[in-house]
Amino acid sequence: MIELYHAEPGSNSLKVLQAVHEKGVPFVSHYVDLRRFEQHDPEFLKINPAGQVPVLVHDGRVLTESTVINEYIDTVFERPKLRPADPYDEAQMRIWTKFVDEVFRPSLSHLAWHRVMPAFADALPPGEFEKRLERIPLQEKRDKWALAARGGFTEREIRTWRRQLGEAVDRLDAALQEHDWLVADMFTLADIAMFAMAFGVPPGFPELMNAKRTPSAMAWLERMRARPGVAAALAMPNRTLAA
Amino acid sequence: MIELYHAEPGSNSLKVLQAVHEKGVPFVSHYVDLRRFEQHDPEFLKINPAGQVPVLVHDGRVLTESTVINEYIDTVFERPKLRPADPYDEAQMRIWTKFVDEVFRPSLSHLAWHRVMPAFADALPPGEFEKRLERIPLQEKRDKWALAARGGFTEREIRTWRRQLGEAVDRLDAALQEHDWLVADMFTLADIAMFAMAFGVPPGFPELMNAKRTPSAMAWLERMRARPGVAAALAMPNRTLAA
């Protein structure tokens, strides 16, 4: 039996939600409310001491890291395969999922924190943001959120993340100019990983990703949304939208 | 036929050199001299436009990214297996290789650049360092090396990398207190990836990794060095030592 601890269908949670829906694997959903910092609740830390979603529990064994979880799901549940059979194509798929983890997601996350964290912290009662920060188990994340909340990222950092995000979107667009999917003309975990981040770029950074500048990437977003599994993942409860 | 473009047996080059030697896969070695910036030569850029080693060429197909290359090698050449058979253990292995790529290696590299780049740039004829920088295809790397050469990393960045490196070494040591190898009591790509970075820590940062502070990790380094494949990889030509 699979249990999934996840937040809204976005970012790393969306990555795993797409995989289980596309594979048709039944799962028990445990919603973790990030806006309430539930990922840092003592209850949740018993499951993942790092205080991060998503987490997969399969037959009592706990697995973290969305990219690793998705390969695991594709190994354990046979069909439909979300990885190419050819080892070289499989390697290309992994270069994409690695690129998402090391470049696309970090640049997007930092820019998002830079944009929303000051207002988010201000909107809480005095001292409440600091209290919540104290509960973050990973010091690096604690430090980064504190820094973001006081607008402390340097100009150089912000410039770098913006350039990286722009280049990432361009790379995505270039790869899709001649193909419907990123690797080996089949829908794979590379498309899933990329979509989990990229679908948030047009609303958040319309100047970087739009029908004129990156038409192939925009058309691919629509192909992704049209997939029943992806659509089902996107239809999962989203309290952020309701706010 | 396998061809491998690599530098000294250290860091990402050592990662792949260990894998081919441990698997006993015959390969043609192409040495790339990083101190001469040969990875940015037009000749090499035809093979890898990113200007990075290692690169694997297998039956004419070019593959980059050491972590991806190692999984590919283990898939294509059957024995001995360097990945656990159990999918859950295999996932744990990937969590380690991911940790090396996202935390261990970046913190170690940045600290090393901070330490050696100013003297390296100073030792070159006037204008030569700038000329070499211009040939780096990845702008991010170009910017970082230029910044490192003028001692431009912030105190916060250096503090963060030092803390991350210390925590990474502690995590390695903790995992090895009850086990000879990182995952599933077998030698895997996780040990290989970790060793490629960790073996440089005791000489470079003896205060973080030593017999008193991290005895289990130190004993594991010796177990690693005693493996014939790892020893063969370490015995590959190393012009850095001769300098």
Side-chain angles (χ1 to χ4, degrees):
Chain A
M1 210 260 290
I2 269 197
E3 293 178 79
L4 200 55
Y5 294 80
H6 63 89
E8 272 67 30
S11 193
N12 289 330
S13 286
L14 176 57
K15 219 197 270 185
V16 176
L17 289 171
Q18 288 175 85
V20 290
H21 280 291
E22 282 285 337
K23 304 275 296 186
V25 177
F27 67 101
V28 177
S29 158
H30 299 283
Y31 174 76
V32 180
D33 192 336
L34 303 187
R35 288 178 313 147
R36 293 169 177 269
F37 281 43
E38 285 181 359
Q39 77 272 36
H40 307 134
D41 278 352
E43 242 359 56
F44 183 76
L45 294 181
K46 281 185 211 155
I47 301 161
N48 182 12
Q52 294 179 313
V53 289
V55 174
L56 177 84
V57 184
H58 183 210
D59 293 339
R61 299 207 280 187
V62 175
L63 199 51
T64 59
E65 299 290 348
S66 57
T67 303
V68 175
I69 290 172
N70 273 6
E71 290 231 28
Y72 175 83
I73 289 171
D74 196 52
T75 300
V76 169
F77 302 95
E78 289 268 315
R79 303 188 161 274
K81 289 312 281 180
L82 300 178
R83 286 178 297 190
D86 182 295
Y88 184 80
D89 291 335
E90 185 186 56
Q92 301 305 318
M93 182 202 84
R94 289 194 178 122
I95 288 177
W96 279 110
T97 59
K98 195 170 156 63
F99 177 70
V100 169
D101 290 346
E102 295 181 8
V103 180
F104 204 127
R105 197 201 53 77
S107 57
L108 186 60
S109 300
H110 281 104
L111 290 172
W113 294 339
H114 174 66
R115 187 178 284 180
V116 306
M117 211 58 97
F120 178 82
D122 275 355
L124 295 171
E128 178 63 24
F129 186 66
E130 291 68 25
K131 230 191 280 177
R132 293 196 184 183
L133 284 185
E134 277 169 30
R135 292 168 53 204
I136 302 181
L138 299 180
Q139 191 179 337
E140 203 203 332
K141 183 159 264 187
R142 200 157 62 226
D143 292 350
K144 273 198 187 156
W145 285 14
L147 195 64
R150 58 172 194 271
F153 291 137
T154 63
E155 272 307 308
R156 162 165 68 84
E157 288 174 314
I158 295 163
R159 208 169 46 236
T160 302
W161 293 323
R162 278 197 74 89
R163 197 198 61 235
Q164 284 184 332
L165 184 60
E167 288 174 356
V169 171
D170 290 347
R171 182 167 161 180
L172 175 66
D173 190 69
L176 293 163
Q177 278 165 18
E178 311 275 326
H179 302 277
D180 278 0
W181 311 109
L182 283 171
V183 179
D185 284 319
M186 73 177 270
F187 172 78
T188 70
L189 295 180
D191 298 289
I192 283 179
M194 198 45 109
F195 181 77
M197 310 302 149
F199 90 113
V201 177
F205 302 87
E207 70 286 8
L208 297 180
M209 190 170 176
N210 57 61
K212 197 163 169 191
R213 184 164 185 266
T214 57
S216 303
M218 294 300 284
W220 166 83
L221 281 186
E222 290 318 305
R223 274 195 298 283
M224 288 294 293
R225 286 181 203 278
R227 295 187 65 92
V230 175
L234 288 171
M236 300 280 295
N238 191 332
R239 299 194 196 171
T240 315
L241 294 180
Chain B
M1 213 260 290
I2 269 197
E3 292 177 81
L4 200 56
Y5 292 80
H6 63 89
E8 273 65 32
S11 192
N12 290 331
S13 286
L14 178 56
K15 218 197 269 182
V16 176
L17 288 171
Q18 289 176 84
V20 289
H21 279 294
E22 282 285 336
K23 303 276 294 188
V25 178
F27 67 100
V28 176
S29 158
H30 298 284
Y31 174 75
V32 180
D33 193 336
L34 302 187
R35 287 178 314 145
R36 292 168 178 268
F37 280 44
E38 285 181 0
Q39 76 273 32
H40 306 134
D41 278 352
E43 250 346 64
F44 184 75
L45 294 181
K46 281 185 212 155
I47 301 161
N48 183 10
Q52 293 180 314
V53 290
V55 174
L56 177 82
V57 184
H58 183 210
D59 294 340
R61 298 206 282 187
V62 175
L63 200 52
T64 59
E65 297 290 347
S66 57
T67 302
V68 175
I69 289 172
N70 273 6
E71 290 231 28
Y72 175 83
I73 289 171
D74 198 51
T75 300
V76 170
F77 302 96
E78 287 267 315
R79 306 193 156 271
K81 288 314 280 179
L82 300 178
R83 286 177 297 190
D86 182 296
Y88 184 81
D89 291 334
E90 185 186 56
Q92 300 305 317
M93 183 202 82
R94 291 196 176 120
I95 289 176
W96 279 109
T97 59
K98 196 170 154 63
F99 177 70
V100 169
D101 291 345
E102 294 180 8
V103 181
F104 205 126
R105 198 199 55 76
S107 58
L108 186 59
S109 299
H110 282 103
L111 290 172
W113 294 340
H114 174 66
R115 187 180 283 180
V116 307
M117 212 55 100
F120 178 81
D122 276 354
L124 294 172
E128 178 62 25
F129 185 67
E130 290 68 24
K131 229 189 284 177
R132 293 197 185 182
L133 284 185
E134 276 170 29
R135 292 169 53 205
I136 303 180
L138 298 180
Q139 190 178 339
E140 203 202 332
K141 183 158 264 186
R142 202 157 60 225
D143 292 350
K144 273 200 184 154
W145 284 16
L147 196 65
R150 58 172 194 269
F153 291 137
T154 64
E155 271 309 306
R156 161 165 71 83
E157 287 173 314
I158 294 162
R159 210 170 44 238
T160 300
W161 294 322
R162 279 198 72 89
R163 196 197 61 233
Q164 283 183 332
L165 184 60
E167 287 173 357
V169 170
D170 290 348
R171 181 165 159 182
L172 174 66
D173 190 70
L176 292 163
Q177 278 165 17
E178 311 274 325
H179 303 277
D180 278 358
W181 311 110
L182 284 171
V183 179
D185 283 321
M186 74 177 271
F187 172 78
T188 69
L189 296 179
D191 298 289
I192 283 179
M194 198 45 110
F195 181 76
M197 310 300 150
F199 91 113
V201 177
F205 303 87
E207 71 285 7
L208 296 180
M209 190 169 175
N210 56 60
K212 198 163 172 189
R213 186 164 183 266
T214 57
S216 302
M218 294 300 282
W220 166 84
L221 282 186
E222 291 316 307
R223 272 195 300 282
M224 289 293 294
R225 286 181 201 280
R227 296 186 64 92
V230 175
L234 288 172
M236 299 282 292
N238 191 331
R239 300 193 196 172
T240 316
L241 293 180

